Amino acid sequence: MSQITIVDLAETLGLSKSTVSRAFRDSSDISPKTKERILAKAEELGFSPNLYASSLRGNRSQTIAIIIPEFGNKFFSQAIKGIELIARSKKYHTLIYVTDNSVQNEASIVRSLVNGRVDGVLISASGEGKDHSHLQTLVDHDVPIVFFDRSYDDFHGHFVTGNDFESSRLATQHLVDNGCKNIAYLVINRKVSIGKIRMDGYRKALEDNGILFQEKLILDTENDEVKNRAAIRNLIQQHKPDGIFASVERLAISTIRVAQQEGVQIPENLKLICFSCLDIADLLSPSLSVVKQPAFAMGKEAANFLFRILDKPTELRQQETTLLQSSLIFQDSSRKL
Amino acid sequence: MSQITIVDLAETLGLSKSTVSRAFRDSSDISPKTKERILAKAEELGFSPNLYASSLRGNRSQTIAIIIPEFGNKFFSQAIKGIELIARSKKYHTLIYVTDNSVQNEASIVRSLVNGRVDGVLISASGEGKDHSHLQTLVDHDVPIVFFDRSYDDFHGHFVTGNDFESSRLATQHLVDNGCKNIAYLVINRKVSIGKIRMDGYRKALEDNGILFQEKLILDTENDEVKNRAAIRNLIQQHKPDGIFASVERLAISTIRVAQQEGVQIPENLKLICFSCLDIADLLSPSLSVVKQPAFAMGKEAANFLFRILDKPTELRQQETTLLQSSLIFQDSSRKL
DNA sequence: ATGAAAGCGCTAACAG
DNA sequence: CTGTTAGCGCTTTCAT
């Protein structure tokens, strides 16, 4: 079946193409009766207006993009699910891109988006890098950006995230309360907002308890599971921490595996807590204490925020940060003996 | 910054817009020097060709869609990751849609795709339903479809999936080998290919071992975690199975939770094995025996297959099914005592 | 309430 | 190798 057009439809109905066109917009100037007649015929013929022709005219793509650094954990799947849900309810389509934690990939993806392909972008920042010109290009093209979960300190934009500082403080405090005195912090990348803010919460808790912050207990990791495990092993052997606070789930999982190999008992010799959206944290052995972010809600909130900007492009909003509450779930991995 | 067009660029360079256009296609007829000059200027001005204008002309969207039923487990995130990777390497963009296991949603999504928005569709079927006219519409519009993991029996199309029959047979055989005589099968939905084929493998293993297939040991589940748990509890209480083969991960997780509540020991009183891509199956308590599908590879394979069709639309391929090997990982949940 | 006509930005014949 | 020209299918004034 070749493409049927608005003209074909107009001819079969004895109308002009303008009238037919109006039937598909929420147009004012059309009688309900003709509109219905047109829509019925369209349904019958399986016609729907060519997307590219209308986008070319109207300059709207009805499409947003999600750019995420990785797909390893439940957080991002849940967030995407939330975003897609909202987008679809707004009749928007959702493009997905995974950078694999590479800023270069992020930049190249973003550049492929400035030709009108999307009306807005939801992004969770990938890694470090000081050059955010790719994002600036987007802004210059009037494509609004909303960050979620991870952003860049030196790029000012809208940001929806968890109350990470407070959650991190409480998680660390919890380790202290359960007897830890030598707590290590595993950071995904201290140059990314998420790594830094969570570390600030960790530092605050130490300070509150008169514990000295020690650089040697901070492990800045890479995008390589094998290297990370070696580094964690090294950390455990060298500095014998009695508690570990991991800023992301996969670092906690690596810790569990290393502990198993090294014969370090959790929680007896080492207490562990981490950020995670794992819904089976309670089924792990030992059950894992987690800071659980409201991933699904965060996706929805970020998307809603983006659509609010899209709906009122005039209302030039200030840079705005929305914090959502995470919940702390204490289980066996950090249990006091 | 307002849109800069190919004409503006042509004027600044003292060229015609066709020449400029050619610089952006992989066009033959243009001198390397002019091409370079154009591309340089474009870079300088931050210009890239308007997507909708070219799609309108060329009838190509450089976009594919992924439609999946749910986002609950690692299988789909991994598959998507694979798809997106291949798509991006082909300079394609990837739209994502989640149906939440609803065929109605699937139909409405598919209908929003026939206006040229996508060049092809990768889909994992949602639920049952005999009416696949929405998919037929896609075919009528010359949009190729490739199924992955889950398809419809009565809709003939390309299909990339695991060797589910054989894996299921082996998984069930494994339970028999470890002493099970009364094995229940938890099916996601027996009307979907995935549920049926996996059940066939299960039946074959029973048959091979002279064990009677019993309808009462088959639990057809719903899209509702709470109801499923109640049904599993009921199954366990009523029929006291000594082994359970779950066709999807979430049913196995529900089983573990029910067993915990009911004081049924795994593997002592009940052995469990399931399809799952969980990378921490070994960290669960008890560690979970799984049939692990090559999710990432499956995503890549399905995408490659779609692009092969897209590259050679003339080569009208026969309906074709590609099977990828799954691996069986036996751990404590199905251990012989 | 409907129709006529101009043109969105680009591509691809065709001509040179 | 480059330029001219005619649309792709739709939306949107401006008439009527």
Side-chain angles (χ1 to χ4, degrees):
Chain A
M1 194 203 305
S2 73
Q3 272 303 48
I4 161 169
T5 82
I6 208 174
V7 182
D8 303 333
L9 197 56
E11 273 175 9
T12 14
L13 289 163
L15 290 166
S16 80
K17 60 176 184 168
S18 346
T19 310
V20 176
S21 173
R22 277 189 270 258
F24 288 96
R25 307 294 107 212
D26 293 333
S27 177
S28 41
D29 281 356
I30 187 168
S31 85
K33 271 182 61 182
T34 18
K35 178 166 178 176
E36 210 166 307
R37 207 159 63 91
I38 294 169
L39 260 24
K41 198 73 186 177
E43 174 78 11
E44 184 192 325
L45 270 52
F47 165 84
S48 71
N50 181 296
L51 169 74
Y52 297 104
S54 35
S55 288
L56 178 55
R57 278 307 314 246
N59 235 347
R60 267 304 176 94
S61 66
Q62 299 287 111
T63 307
I64 59 171
I66 306 177
I67 304 175
I68 59 171
E70 56 182 298
F71 228 144
N73 57 50
K74 204 124 188 155
F75 172 80
F76 285 112
S77 8
Q78 290 298 107
I80 292 172
K81 196 174 145 187
I83 293 168
E84 198 269 339
L85 189 71
I86 298 295
R88 200 142 41 77
S89 78
K90 300 265 183 189
K91 306 246 180 212
Y92 262 71
H93 298 251
T94 310
L95 288 163
I96 178 90
Y97 302 90
V98 186
T99 71
D100 197 23
N101 286 296
S102 146
V103 191
Q104 281 95 312
N105 283 346
E106 181 182 289
S108 107
I109 289 164
V110 165
R111 285 208 196 85
S112 75
L113 256 31
V114 296
N115 53 0
R117 185 176 281 275
V118 298
D119 295 343
V121 171
L122 290 163
I123 184 171
S124 200
S126 298
E128 52 194 303
K130 284 204 160 307
D131 178 19
H132 308 312
S133 58
H134 54 292
L135 296 175
Q136 191 52 49
T137 310
L138 225 43
V139 173
D140 291 344
H141 282 257
D142 292 323
V143 179
I145 306 174
V146 174
F147 287 87
F148 66 100
D149 193 48
R150 313 185 184 178
S151 79
Y152 294 112
D153 294 336
D154 52 346
F155 184 87
H156 297 291
H158 305 294
F159 188 22
V160 178
T161 185
N163 59 335
D164 286 2
F165 175 85
E166 188 59 9
S167 309
S168 300
R169 187 185 69 74
L170 289 170
T172 311
Q173 180 66 51
H174 166 76
L175 291 177
V176 173
D177 291 345
N178 284 2
C180 297
K181 294 183 164 29
N182 201 33
I183 303 170
Y185 172 60
L186 308 188
V187 52
I188 177 175
N189 183 330
R190 66 207 291 182
K191 299 208 182 95
V192 186
S193 64
I194 205 183
K196 223 171 78 179
I197 290 175
R198 292 177 186 183
M199 182 157 81
D200 290 346
Y202 158 85
R203 289 187 81 141
K204 179 67 166 64
L206 295 188
E207 207 175 280
D208 290 348
N209 292 277
I211 299 174
L212 194 67
F213 170 85
Q214 296 181 82
E215 193 59 48
K216 66 179 189 193
L217 289 173
I218 306 300
L219 186 63
D220 206 345
T221 61
E222 304 189 43
N223 192 20
D224 179 324
E225 157 112 35
V226 177
K227 283 192 195 162
N228 288 346
R229 279 206 229 172
I232 292 169
R233 179 172 300 114
N234 194 45
L235 172 80
I236 290 180
Q237 287 172 346
Q238 299 256 311
H239 304 298
K240 310 230 178 298
D242 54 7
I244 285 189
F245 171 42
S247 61
V248 291
E249 182 184 300
R250 61 181 155 85
L251 296 176
I253 300 295
S254 296
T255 301
I256 294 175
R257 294 196 186 285
V258 169
Q260 274 184 347
Q261 285 166 8
E262 299 291 307
V264 175
Q265 298 292 321
I266 299 177
E268 288 78 359
N269 310 328
L270 178 66
K271 300 194 199 309
L272 178 65
I273 189 167
C274 68
F275 272 81
S276 168
C277 287
L278 207 57
D279 49 3
I280 53 170
D282 60 317
L283 296 181
L284 292 183
S285 168
S287 59
L288 187 62
S289 296
V290 295
V291 178
K292 190 169 194 168
Q293 301 162 92
F296 185 60
M298 200 183 292
K300 289 200 288 185
E301 178 60 29
N304 276 323
F305 197 98
L306 181 61
F307 284 117
R308 248 175 282 145
I309 302 175
L310 252 22
D311 286 345
K312 309 207 176 183
T314 46
E315 217 174 88
L316 278 170
R317 290 155 173 281
Q318 296 294 101
Q319 171 200 2
E320 200 173 292
T321 297
T322 310
L323 292 187
L324 301 182
Q325 282 304 109
S326 297
S327 40
L328 286 107
I329 304 174
F330 300 134
Q331 305 196 77
D332 286 351
S333 71
S334 61
R335 199 186 62 227
K336 191 171 191 167
L337 300 172
Chain B
M1 191 203 306
S2 74
Q3 271 305 48
I4 161 171
T5 82
I6 208 175
V7 182
D8 303 333
L9 197 57
E11 273 174 10
T12 12
L13 288 163
L15 290 165
S16 81
K17 58 177 184 167
S18 356
T19 310
V20 175
S21 171
R22 278 188 270 260
F24 288 97
R25 308 292 108 214
D26 292 334
S27 178
S28 40
D29 282 353
I30 188 169
S31 83
K33 271 182 63 181
T34 14
K35 179 166 178 176
E36 211 166 306
R37 206 158 63 91
I38 294 169
L39 260 24
K41 197 74 185 176
E43 174 79 9
E44 183 192 326
L45 269 51
F47 165 84
S48 70
N50 181 296
L51 170 73
Y52 297 104
S54 34
S55 288
L56 178 55
R57 273 309 315 245
N59 234 346
R60 267 305 177 94
S61 65
Q62 298 287 110
T63 307
I64 59 171
I66 306 177
I67 305 176
I68 58 171
E70 56 182 295
F71 229 143
N73 56 51
K74 204 126 189 155
F75 172 79
F76 285 112
S77 8
Q78 290 298 106
I80 291 172
K81 198 174 144 187
I83 293 168
E84 198 269 340
L85 190 71
I86 297 296
R88 199 142 43 74
S89 79
K90 300 264 182 188
K91 306 249 181 209
Y92 262 71
H93 298 252
T94 310
L95 288 163
I96 176 91
Y97 302 89
V98 186
T99 71
D100 198 23
N101 286 296
S102 145
V103 190
Q104 281 95 312
N105 283 345
E106 181 183 288
S108 107
I109 289 164
V110 166
R111 285 208 195 83
S112 76
L113 256 32
V114 296
N115 54 0
R117 185 175 281 274
V118 298
D119 295 343
V121 171
L122 290 162
I123 183 171
S124 199
S126 298
E128 51 192 306
K130 285 206 161 303
D131 180 18
H132 308 313
S133 57
H134 53 291
L135 295 176
Q136 191 53 49
T137 311
L138 224 43
V139 173
D140 292 343
H141 282 257
D142 291 323
V143 179
I145 307 173
V146 174
F147 287 88
F148 65 100
D149 192 46
R150 311 184 186 180
S151 79
Y152 293 112
D153 293 337
D154 53 346
F155 184 87
H156 298 291
H158 304 294
F159 188 22
V160 178
T161 186
N163 57 336
D164 286 2
F165 175 83
E166 188 59 10
S167 309
S168 299
R169 187 185 70 73
L170 289 170
T172 310
Q173 180 66 51
H174 166 76
L175 291 178
V176 173
D177 290 346
N178 283 4
C180 296
K181 294 183 164 27
N182 201 32
I183 303 170
Y185 172 60
L186 308 188
V187 52
I188 178 175
N189 183 329
R190 64 205 292 181
K191 299 207 183 96
V192 186
S193 62
I194 205 182
K196 224 172 75 179
I197 289 176
R198 292 177 186 182
M199 183 157 81
D200 291 345
Y202 158 85
R203 289 185 81 142
K204 180 65 166 66
L206 294 189
E207 209 175 279
D208 289 349
N209 292 276
I211 299 174
L212 195 66
F213 170 84
Q214 295 182 82
E215 195 59 49
K216 66 179 189 193
L217 288 174
I218 306 300
L219 187 61
D220 206 345
T221 62
E222 304 189 41
N223 192 21
D224 178 323
E225 158 112 36
V226 178
K227 282 191 195 161
N228 288 346
R229 279 206 229 172
I232 293 169
R233 179 172 300 114
N234 194 45
L235 172 78
I236 290 180
Q237 288 172 344
Q238 299 254 313
H239 303 298
K240 311 233 178 295
D242 54 6
I244 285 189
F245 170 44
S247 61
V248 291
E249 179 184 302
R250 61 180 156 84
L251 295 176
I253 300 295
S254 296
T255 301
I256 294 175
R257 295 196 186 284
V258 169
Q260 274 184 346
Q261 285 166 7
E262 298 292 308
V264 174
Q265 299 292 320
I266 299 176
E268 289 77 359
N269 310 328
L270 180 65
K271 302 196 198 309
L272 179 64
I273 189 167
C274 67
F275 272 81
S276 168
C277 288
L278 207 57
D279 49 3
I280 52 171
D282 61 317
L283 296 181
L284 291 183
S285 167
S287 59
L288 187 61
S289 296
V290 295
V291 178
K292 191 168 195 170
Q293 301 162 92
F296 185 61
M298 201 184 292
K300 289 199 288 185
E301 178 60 29
N304 275 325
F305 197 97
L306 181 62
F307 284 117
R308 248 175 282 146
I309 301 176
L310 253 24
D311 287 345
K312 309 208 175 182
T314 45
E315 217 175 88
L316 278 170
R317 289 156 171 283
Q318 296 294 100
Q319 169 200 2
E320 200 173 293
T321 297
T322 309
L323 293 187
L324 302 183
Q325 283 302 109
S326 297
S327 40
L328 286 107
I329 305 174
F330 300 133
Q331 306 194 79
D332 285 350
S333 70
S334 60
R335 200 187 60 229
K336 191 171 193 167
L337 301 172

